């Protein structure tokens, strides 16, 4: 009987575990290097204890137990013969419910007490010598297993005690990331100022150098449904020097290229799961679209995904480079969610043209749809106000008004942007995707507009040649000014060409091709060699192309 209870209890727990749908709660904080999701996994809230169970004398009193149930005879014996099985007050047994260790202990104890009582009262017609002999035989047969089980429990308790004694914190989890990249590029000549068809400037950025990015993240649980997220970052090195004007300042920017003057706070925000379907993020650092919007490209990460900053996501989703603000994530249907954000570039600066509402601010919304398990589609709209005419996307044409030579400042811009990203898992080993974006900006109070476009198509190859590895090919056009008819003197393309700033678009089109292969050496270490080829850098047709070779190493814990 005891063995039967053990088997039934273990079987019930195993069935529950196999049926449970688990959600990965590990947040890959890899700053753009990171793939954030502001909705944390639903916490396992402690259930309210059930009402005390009432004793039954016949299995027929249990309304949810049928005669064709596989355990019916066992239940009938335990209820009617031994009297050590109870039901709930509503006359249910709830046989499919998971069994906790406490309930298992209570049930076994009740049955053993009942058996002892029957033996003591010599109720021979209920408990026979044959039953006792079977129990003794089972006890002898399972003695080695019980001894092994006891040893494993003792070992587990010792290990648990050791982990508890050496854990970082009972409420805070520490994660770390280190990226070290070696990169170099070819020597090239550029048609810079003025763009007259002559290659008149040598590119000085040809030396091989090292770029590193170190990050530490603290996730502090406040309540079962909320936590505080803090990030520290220290970046060294960059892919400069480049041409000394705006023609190609963003053509060679790697995803992990983030030089700082030392250790800085990159994230300081609070996450709250309001309901199972709605979450809020609010903070003074790290509240940006890359952190708040779910990325359809499932390998997006400057630590383990594509190498360049441009290949991480549509540049529209980098716009404004937000620091402080508020974001929401609403899973309004099983395969559809809506994210929204309001963020400021300098929320802590009270000066003119800064602050939470007066400076560079960004409002965005994204609709993410997953029609099938293999298809992801996101549609997004972004409204941005830039106090100096730069969208802060750090890719391609991002500064869309010229700098006034007398004031040393550029005109502000109000921008509306739309875009879409689509990914399709063709097979477990091949994923195809594409995105496109369009922006239209104007100087407040003036006529005229400046428009840009960008696109990217890509292929990802998960588990290429070995499990855990990743290959990728990305081909795209960084943001390019296609037309600009702002007031004379403010138009960037003609200002570079002639210095007059008259209406017109860029004379050429930059194209970037990137290929990489990530070797996943261990769960925490990867090495990614890759190459990036850039044609017509700075949208200048008469400049030499640029080739960049990269070797990225990533360590995480």
């Amino acid at each position: 009987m005891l063995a039967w209870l053990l088997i039934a209890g273990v079987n019930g727990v195993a069935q529950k575990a196999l049926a449970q749908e688990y959600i990965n709660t590990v947040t890959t904080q890899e700053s753009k290097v990171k793939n954030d999701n502001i909705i944390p996994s639903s916490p396992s809230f402690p259930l309210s204890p059930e009402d005390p169970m009432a004793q039954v004398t016949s299995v027929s009193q249990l309304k949810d137990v049928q005669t064709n149930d596989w355990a019916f005879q066992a239940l009938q014996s335990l209820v009617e013969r031994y009297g050590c099985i109870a039901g709930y007050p509503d006359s249910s047994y709830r046989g499919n419910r998971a069994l906790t260790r406490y309930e298992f202990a209570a049930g076994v104890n009740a049955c053993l007490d009942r058996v002892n009582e029957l033996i003591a009262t010599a109720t021979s017609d209920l408990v026979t010598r044959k039953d006792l002999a079977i129990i003794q035989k089972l006890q002898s047969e399972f003695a080695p297993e019980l001894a092994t089980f006891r040893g494993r429990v003792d070992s587990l308790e010792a290990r648990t005690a050791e982990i508890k004694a050496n854990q970082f914190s009972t409420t805070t989890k520490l994660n770390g990331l280190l990226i070290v990249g070696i990169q170099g590029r070819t020597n090239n000549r550029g048609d810079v100022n003025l763009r007259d068809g002559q290659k008149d400037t040598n590119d000085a950025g040809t030396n091989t150098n090292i770029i590193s990015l170190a990050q530490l993240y603290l996730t502090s649980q406040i309540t079962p449904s909320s936590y505080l997220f803090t990030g520290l970052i220290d970046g060294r090195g960059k892919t400069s020097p480049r041409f000394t004007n705006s023609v190609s300042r963003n053509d060679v920017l790697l995803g992990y290229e983030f030089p700082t003057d030392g250790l800085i706070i990159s994230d300081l925000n609070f996450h709250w799961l309001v309901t199972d379907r709605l979450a809020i993020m609010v903070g003074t650092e790290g509240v940006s679209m890359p952190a708040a919007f779910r990325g359809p490209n499932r390998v997006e990460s400057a630590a383990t995904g594509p190498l360049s900053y441009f290949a991480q996501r549509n540049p529209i989703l980098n716009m404004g480079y937000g620091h402080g603000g508020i974001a929401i994530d609403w899973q309004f249907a099983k395969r559809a969610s809506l994210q929204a954000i309001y963020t400021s570039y300098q929320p802590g600066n009270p000066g003119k043209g800064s602050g939470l509402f007066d400076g560079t601010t960004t409002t965005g919304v994204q609709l993410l749809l997953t029609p099938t398990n293999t298809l992801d589609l996101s549609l997004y709209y972004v409204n941005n106000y830039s106090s100096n005419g730069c969208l802060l996307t750090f890719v391609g044409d991002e500064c869309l008004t010229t700098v006034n030579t007398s004031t040393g400042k550029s005109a502000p811009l109000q921008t509306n942007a739309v875009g879409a990203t689509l990914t399709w898992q063709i097979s477990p080993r091949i994923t195809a995707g594409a995105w496109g974006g369009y922006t239209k900006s104007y100087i407040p109070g003036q006529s005229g507009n400046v428009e840009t476009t960008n696109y990217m198509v890509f292929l990802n190859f998960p588990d290429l040649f070995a499990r855990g590895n990743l290959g990728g090919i990305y081909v795209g056009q960084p943001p390019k000014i296609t037309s600009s008819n702002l007031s004379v003197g403010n138009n960037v393309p003609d200002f570079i060409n002639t210095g007059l700033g008259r209406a017109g678009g860029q004379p050429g089109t930059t194209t970037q091709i990137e290929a990489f292969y990530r070797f996943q050496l261990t769960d925490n270490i990867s090495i990614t060699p890759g190459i990036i080829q850039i044609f017509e850098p700075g949208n200048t047709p008469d400049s030499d192309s640029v080739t960049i070779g990269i070797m990225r190493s990533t360590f995480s814990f």
Side-chain angles (χ1 to χ4, degrees):
M1 179 185 65
L2 178 58
W4 180 258
L5 283 173
L6 284 168
I7 295 170
V10 172
N11 184 61
V13 174
Q15 289 179 345
K16 180 66 175 180
L18 291 173
Q20 179 68 35
E21 179 181 0
Y22 290 97
I23 301 175
N24 183 10
T25 60
V26 178
T27 304
T28 309
Q29 304 298 347
E30 298 174 334
S31 150
K32 318 282 157 255
V33 173
K34 59 187 177 184
N35 182 16
D36 293 293
N37 184 340
I38 67 170
I39 290 189
S41 305
S42 300
S44 300
F45 292 101
L47 298 175
S48 300
E50 299 284 357
D51 293 331
M53 295 191 294
Q55 184 68 39
V56 295
T57 58
S58 173
V59 71
S60 62
Q61 293 177 253
L62 302 174
K63 62 183 182 182
D64 57 348
V65 177
Q66 307 298 324
T67 56
N68 59 348
D69 288 338
W70 67 273
F72 177 79
Q73 291 184 350
L75 288 173
Q76 186 178 42
S77 177
L78 292 173
V79 172
E80 299 177 3
R81 185 174 184 182
Y82 297 106
C84 59
I85 287 293
Y88 287 92
D90 61 354
S91 299
S92 64
Y93 180 65
R94 307 181 192 179
N96 291 326
R97 179 176 172 270
L99 181 70
T100 68
R101 291 168 63 91
Y102 288 116
E103 291 170 332
F104 176 75
V108 172
N109 186 67
C111 280
L112 291 177
D113 286 346
R114 180 57 177 162
V115 169
N116 289 332
E117 178 185 348
L118 294 174
I119 294 173
T121 54
T123 317
S124 57
D125 57 329
L126 294 179
V127 179
T128 66
R129 292 183 178 276
K130 181 179 179 180
D131 294 328
L132 296 176
I134 291 175
I135 292 175
Q136 291 175 349
K137 182 179 179 181
L138 289 173
Q139 184 180 9
S140 300
E141 289 179 355
F142 284 95
E145 287 80 359
L146 291 174
T148 302
F149 181 72
R150 185 182 301 108
R152 290 179 179 178
V153 171
D154 292 342
S155 176
L156 182 60
E157 289 179 347
R159 292 176 59 188
T160 302
E162 180 181 358
I163 293 174
K164 185 177 181 180
N166 294 279
Q167 64 183 333
F168 173 74
S169 170
T170 57
T171 59
T172 300
K173 183 177 181 180
L174 173 66
N175 295 97
L177 179 71
L178 174 64
I179 304 174
V180 179
I182 302 176
Q183 51 279 315
R185 57 196 181 115
T186 57
N187 188 19
N188 69 306
R189 298 181 62 200
D191 179 17
V192 187
N193 280 340
L194 301 168
R195 285 193 291 202
D196 55 3
Q198 301 296 321
K199 300 176 183 179
D200 49 21
T201 302
N202 288 325
D203 178 7
T206 58
N207 291 331
T208 300
N209 70 322
I210 295 178
I211 296 177
S212 66
L213 187 70
Q215 297 175 286
L216 291 176
Y217 291 105
L218 303 171
T219 305
S220 302
Q221 199 77 26
I222 307 300
T223 69
S225 59
S226 66
Y227 64 92
L228 177 67
F229 182 69
T230 305
L232 303 173
I233 188 171
D234 184 15
R236 306 293 175 94
K238 54 185 178 180
T239 54
S240 63
R242 304 186 183 98
F243 290 138
T244 56
N245 68 6
S246 61
V247 174
S248 63
R249 73 176 197 168
N250 294 324
D251 282 337
V252 187
L253 189 67
L254 301 177
Y256 51 91
E257 185 176 345
F258 189 70
T260 64
D261 294 329
L263 190 65
I264 65 172
I265 297 177
S266 61
D267 294 87
L268 186 60
N269 43 70
F270 177 74
H271 299 241
W272 177 31
L273 185 65
V274 183
T275 70
D276 290 341
R277 295 180 176 269
L278 178 65
I280 294 177
M281 176 172 68
V282 61
T284 58
E285 286 290 345
V287 183
S288 61
M289 285 185 286
F293 288 4
R294 308 190 208 180
N297 186 1
R298 302 183 185 185
V299 304
E300 173 187 315
S301 168
T304 57
L307 293 164
S308 69
Y309 194 58
F310 175 41
Q312 298 301 315
R313 67 194 68 83
N314 193 320
I316 287 174
L317 298 178
N318 296 327
M319 191 180 298
Y321 196 67
H323 288 271
I326 185 171
I328 65 170
D329 192 338
W330 178 30
Q331 186 77 37
F332 63 88
K334 182 178 181 180
R335 293 184 176 270
S337 65
L338 187 71
Q339 294 87 46
I341 189 173
Y342 175 85
T343 182
S344 169
Y345 178 61
Q346 292 181 311
N349 188 341
K352 185 177 180 180
S354 299
L356 191 58
F357 302 105
D358 191 38
T360 296
T361 58
T362 303
T363 303
V365 62
Q366 174 181 256
L367 175 65
L368 181 62
L369 305 173
T370 308
T372 69
N373 292 336
T374 59
L375 198 65
D376 292 304
L377 171 65
S378 67
L379 307 170
Y380 31 91
Y381 164 77
V382 178
N383 181 277
N384 172 264
Y385 175 78
S386 171
S387 58
N388 64 355
C390 292
L391 303 183
L392 299 178
T393 60
F394 304 104
V395 174
D397 289 339
E398 58 145 359
C399 290
L400 308 183
T401 58
T402 62
V403 177
N404 189 301
T405 55
S406 60
T407 63
K409 298 181 179 179
S410 54
L413 278 181
Q414 187 74 49
T415 300
N416 291 286
V418 293
T421 303
L422 177 69
T423 62
W424 174 33
Q425 187 180 18
I426 301 174
S427 73
R429 298 294 180 92
I430 302 177
T431 299
W435 74 60
Y438 167 80
T439 70
K440 187 173 185 179
S441 310
Y442 63 91
I443 300 173
Q446 297 186 20
S447 61
N449 299 282
V450 53
E451 302 177 13
T452 74
T453 61
N454 80 84
Y455 75 85
M456 177 71 81
V457 293
F458 57 88
L459 288 171
N460 292 319
F461 303 95
D463 298 329
L464 182 63
F465 302 133
R467 184 174 180 83
N469 294 350
L470 174 69
I473 300 175
Y474 286 65
V475 180
Q477 173 209 297
K480 168 192 171 181
I481 297 175
T482 55
S483 69
S484 183
N485 60 355
L486 302 173
S487 57
V488 175
N490 288 294
N491 300 288
V492 171
D494 185 67
F495 186 82
I496 297 174
N497 291 342
T498 67
L500 300 177
R502 299 168 299 186
Q506 293 284 28
T509 300
T510 299
T511 301
Q512 174 174 314
I513 302 175
E514 175 177 337
F516 66 90
Y517 182 73
R518 185 190 74 210
F519 294 90
Q520 196 69 41
L521 303 181
T522 70
D523 291 340
N524 304 99
I525 302 175
S526 66
I527 296 177
T528 309
I531 188 169
I532 299 174
Q533 182 73 28
I534 299 176
F535 298 96
E536 298 189 9
N539 298 304
T540 305
D542 296 307
S543 290
D544 291 340
S545 61
V546 179
T547 304
I548 310 105
I550 304 131
M551 178 71 74
R552 179 187 66 193
S553 301
T554 303
F555 310 87
S556 63
F557 68 88

